[in-house]
Every structure is written in C-alpha cells, then in structure tokens.
Amino acid sequence: MVMRLKTSADTEAKLAELDRKIKLSSKAAIMRIAIACSLKLKGDPRTAYGETACYDVGNHGGSDYQRITIFGRDEKLYRILMTDHLGRIVNDEEFFPDLTNAHIQRGIDYLYSEYRYADDKDKFFMNLIDLGR
C-alpha cells in the first residue's frame, strides 16, 4: 500500500500561492477542496489533458505528502466519492496515488484559475459556493 504522494512542481507552486493568499489551516485543506472541485467536473481527471496520465513519482518535483495528511480520517469517504465519479470500482493501487493525484492536480488548476479570476478571497469563496449548487 502506497502511503505517500509527491506533487508535481507546477501543482506545488500553485498550491503554495493559494496557501499564501487564502490562508486556510494547511495545504492539505486546500488539496481536499481541490479534490471536491475536481469531482464536480465531468470525466476522469487522468484524461483531462489529452492522453491518459499515469502517476510516476520520477516525474514529480513538488512536495511529498502522507496519505493521512491529505485525507485525514475521511479517506473512505473520498474513495467512495471517486468511485461514484468514475462509475466503477477503484482498487487501492488506482485510488492512491494515481487517481488522487489526478484529482488534486485538476482541482488545484481549477482553484488557481478561479482565484486569479476573482482576485479577492471573498469573491473566490463565493464562486466556490456557487460551484456546489
């Protein structure tokens, strides 16, 4: 069972900037919001940028996060949500780090774009609330 996930350099840079600007409790809190945003978008996040992406730790130059840090006590909930999103059973090797990383990456890209568009913490959170409707 894989216990750690390493982000890409681009994802980590966007995550660090969002962390500085929106000031939540941790980068992991932002990652959880990113996963939720990615789950609101259609399709498999691994195919969001063309061909199917597969997690390869050698191609990631960002930071290293423990599985428990990303999910806290809610890992089962996130797994159920990702399984429902794909419409099929997801085994552990696919769920973490492959699918989790793809959702984080797509969600961080979305959050980063939304923050740059809103350019204000309050507007940013209002846009996120509207996404949930």
Side-chain angles (χ1 to χ4, degrees), residues 1-5 55 67 92-93 96-97:
M1 177 185 285
V2 178
M3 298 303 288
R4 301 182 81 75
L5 177 146
Y55 181 80
R67 192 173 184 147
D92 193 59
E93 293 79 29
F96 194 90

Side-chain angles (χ1 to χ4, degrees), residues 43-54 86 88 94 98-99 102:
D44 188 331
R46 295 169 293 184
T47 59
Y49 304 104
E51 61 189 62
T52 302
C54 190
L86 284 180
R88 63 176 175 78
E94 183 180 11
D98 188 42
L99 189 57

Side-chain angles (χ1 to χ4, degrees), residues 55-119:
Y55 181 80
D56 177 12
V57 74
N59 291 334
H60 289 75
S63 293
D64 204 20
Y65 296 93
Q66 290 185 17
R67 192 173 184 147
I68 189 74
T69 302
I70 295 170
F71 298 116
R73 296 180 309 215
D74 299 323
E75 181 175 335
K76 287 181 183 179
L77 172 64
Y78 284 96
R79 187 170 185 155
I80 290 167
L81 291 170
M82 289 183 201
T83 297
D84 184 60
H85 184 260
L86 284 180
R88 63 176 175 78
I89 300 297
V90 176
N91 65 32
D92 193 59
E93 293 79 29
E94 183 180 11
F95 169 69
F96 194 90
D98 188 42
L99 189 57
T100 299
N101 181 67
H103 276 294
I104 290 171
Q105 215 167 348
R106 180 167 75 168
I108 290 294
D109 287 346
Y110 177 83
L111 288 174
Y112 187 76
S113 173
E114 284 296 309
Y115 189 84
R116 292 189 67 196
Y117 174 74
D119 198 31

